[in-house]
Amino acid sequence: MYMRKTLIIAGLLMSTQMGVAQESRFGVPATQADIDKRFWSVFPDGEFLPEGEGNVAEGAELFEYNCNLCHNYPDENDPNKNAIGKLFGGHETMGTDNIDRTIGSYWPHPTTVFNYIRRAMPLIAPMSLTNSEYYSLTAYLLHENGIIGENDVINKDTLPKVQMPNRDGFVNAYPDIPEKYRTKQ
Amino acid sequence: MYMHNNKGKNLQIDATDHVAPGGLLSRRLFLNSALATTAALATTRAAYGQEDMVGEGQEDWTLYPGSDALEYGERSRFEVDRVRRTAGPGYQNEEFASLRTIVHRARTPHQDLMGTITPSGLHFELTHHGIPDIDPEQHAVVIHGMVKQPLKYNIEALENYPTITREHFLECSGNSLALWSEKPQEWNLQRMHGLLSGSQWTGVPLSTLLDECGVSPDAKWIIAEGADSGSLSRSIPIDKALKDSMIAIYQNGERIRPGQGYPMRLFNPGYEGNTSVKWIRSLHVTDRPAMSRFETSTYTDKMPDGKALQFTLEIDVKSMITRPSNAMSLKKHGLYEITGLAWSGKGKIDRVEVSVDGGKTWAEAALEGPIQSIMLTRFRIPWLWQGEPAILQSRAIDEFGRVQPSRSELVEARGTKGTYHYHGYQSWGVGTNGKISNVYT
């Protein structure tokens, strides 16, 4: 046991050069299936968006059955209205310091909608729909927020091209918060 | 002058012991045990007329053999109400809470704790999609993307590597968010600051695993994803991952608990809690962020000019007084110890100053060592309270000279709508009746 640890440490000291794959000591090569099972991200430029296609009408129907229960607030005065992600409206708050965090008024990238709902929604049955159905729901959410037209289709080519109203609303704070927002200290 | 401290001991205090107006005393008073304690241990052995059993007057637990050790130890039955309350009364409509939300929050009761390590069972938890019940035999993390060789590691594989052990705090960027509110909210200490904890974490440095995969020199970000029912995902700068991130498998000496990411979690020291993705199962090496929900719609800070700050990853220098706080009240005049916690996502705490007059004057508190990088540091200073109204505040300074801002300085720079990353002062107002409340100065 002691011998083995010593060997491992010696191995560690030798593995310094970045970018050179070391012989893995205990990991095993990951297959494409291993990766596909665990990796769900899609990028703003469309990388990793799957095949399939959706439209607003189908999205509206799917929303009614799968999402309305939690995301529809017919009563504007419902105190719980904003307790979970508010998905629609808020355009009039754009440009103010208290912008509503909705898809239409806040979200900077259209791909985030697909990225999130495919992995996480409906909350009680995530990943239970098809890629085309998630594209349809994405289309519906974008349309309800006044971002795409009623007859627009959403797929891996059209989604990254959608222009979000608040696409210029974010300031990168990594690695440093811009001077303007720093405290005097 | 003689005073009683809150434990009833006598204490001699003279003018040279005062280090700031308002009753703040030299920390040496507590540190050097310079207390002029004159508590006389009364010998109560009286002459008895008749001979009793020698145990007369002893409590039952001294007179009867105790129980066997448990397989997994528990706290005293007198301590079981020191718990993480998940939501305060009236916080959310019960029916609604069960039907529509699954964001669970369990907050650390700092008013009940001492030292800097939070017991694992009291470590805060905030889960967006509940706590998964993962069979470790069926779980593995894959590292892929811009690497020479994608690799897969299960817990057994990770156990073979030399591990590192570090004490680090973890803070949710939504901790203390009620202090952004324009009027002071009466949230107690636990609800206000309970999304913060400190633990000892043991795991494999992520750099070791990345090295084995052979990361491309063009790589800039890593997209981390968990195995929970939201497959929670965050983008982490590769510089951070190579510097000090780890795949943690132990917390406070035992395997990480389900609520903390069992069987393995990413841990990014000093970064906002959400980035330390629990139940980690995928690390995709790439050259740009994925812009996931939790780095766009959530955990971004709304600024006064209508913009929002994104990737505010590192926790700023911050502190709070835990005792006295609004989780308690001062029952009598006398000597108190002001104590609390300070931390910085960048490194070590250098200094903590305390004020009892709302920031007009400050005195340096004693820090309890060893002071560790990116870990909670406990501070303390004696305070003589004679019934006058007071406003207790602490401010921390880290080893890089970064000073914790006051609330008004923070609000001046970032407005009041940011929601996340509050790191200004916490001010506790003490009334003449000893009642303590959250106040602004």
Side-chain angles (χ1 to χ4, degrees), chain B residues 352-371:
Chain B
V352 177
E353 296 170 343
V354 170
S355 172
V356 295
D357 55 12
K360 288 195 208 67
T361 58
W362 297 85
E364 197 174 333
L367 302 186
E368 202 170 77
I371 298 167

Side-chain angles (χ1 to χ4, degrees), chain B residues 290-302:
Chain B
M291 302 298 179
S292 69
R293 181 201 146 191
F294 293 108
E295 56 212 23
T296 53
S297 115
T298 310
Y299 302 131
T300 45
D301 310 351
K302 297 185 284 187

Side-chain angles (χ1 to χ4, degrees), chain A residues 16-106:
Chain A
T16 44
Q17 198 53 45
M18 264 254 315
V20 182
Q22 303 291 314
E23 183 79 8
S24 178
R25 286 159 299 194
F26 305 104
V28 297
T31 64
Q32 194 55 45
D34 285 335
I35 296 166
D36 290 346
K37 181 180 174 191
R38 295 171 174 84
F39 177 58
W40 292 87
S41 290
V42 302
F43 284 71
D45 56 14
E47 197 188 10
F48 301 114
L49 277 171
E51 297 300 324
E53 183 164 285
N55 60 61
V56 177
E58 265 168 43
E61 209 169 304
L62 286 163
F63 195 87
E64 170 90 33
Y65 287 110
N66 294 286
C67 325
N68 237 4
L69 167 70
C70 302
H71 286 292
N72 186 25
Y73 296 95
D75 176 7
E76 265 299 305
N77 300 318
D78 185 335
N80 295 313
K81 196 162 67 76
N82 289 317
I84 63 174
K86 191 178 164 192
L87 304 183
F88 312 109
H91 294 253
E92 68 290 350
T93 65
M94 287 185 64
T96 73
D97 68 343
N98 203 17
I99 180 170
D100 257 353
R101 297 176 190 263
T102 78
I103 291 173
S105 58
Y106 197 66

Side-chain angles (χ1 to χ4, degrees), chain A residues 8 15 19 24-25 28 30 38 40-41 45 47 97 99 101 106 112 116 119 168-169 171 173 180-181, chain B residues 140 148 150 152 162 211-212 215 225 229-231 281 288 291 293 297 300 302 305-308 310 414 417:
Chain A
I8 290 169
S15 80
S24 178
R25 286 159 299 194
V28 297
R38 295 171 174 84
W40 292 87
S41 290
D45 56 14
E47 197 188 10
D97 68 343
I99 180 170
R101 297 176 190 263
Y106 197 66
T112 308
Y116 181 69
R119 66 176 68 233
D168 298 323
V171 179
K180 178 171 179 191
Y181 308 107
Chain B
K148 285 235 163 67
K152 180 167 97 167
D211 251 13
E212 288 192 349
V215 172
E225 303 195 23
S229 71
S231 299
R281 66 168 177 170
R288 63 214 188 285
M291 302 298 179
R293 181 201 146 191
S297 115
T300 45
K302 297 185 284 187
D305 58 3
K307 301 276 187 204
Q310 191 183 22
R414 302 201 195 160
K417 307 296 185 201

Side-chain angles (χ1 to χ4, degrees), chain B residues 21-22 24 57 63 70 76 102 107 113 117 155 239-240 246 260 264 268 288 318 331 382 424 428:
Chain B
L24 282 176
L63 295 175
L70 301 170
S76 158
I102 200 169
R107 296 171 154 95
L113 304 181
I117 295 280
I155 184 88
D239 290 348
K240 176 66 178 175
M246 66 162 109
Q260 291 301 320
M264 55 182 80
N268 300 311
R288 63 214 188 285
K318 186 170 169 183
K331 299 271 181 330
W428 300 124

Side-chain angles (χ1 to χ4, degrees), chain A residues 109-128:
Chain A
H109 305 282
T111 49
T112 308
V113 180
F114 184 86
N115 189 355
Y116 181 69
I117 67 172
R118 183 175 63 154
R119 66 176 68 233
M121 292 291 145
L123 187 97
I124 38 181
M127 300 183 181
S128 60

Side-chain angles (χ1 to χ4, degrees), chain B residues 12 124 132 329 438:
Chain B
Q12 189 175 9
F124 88 86
S329 58
N438 174 34

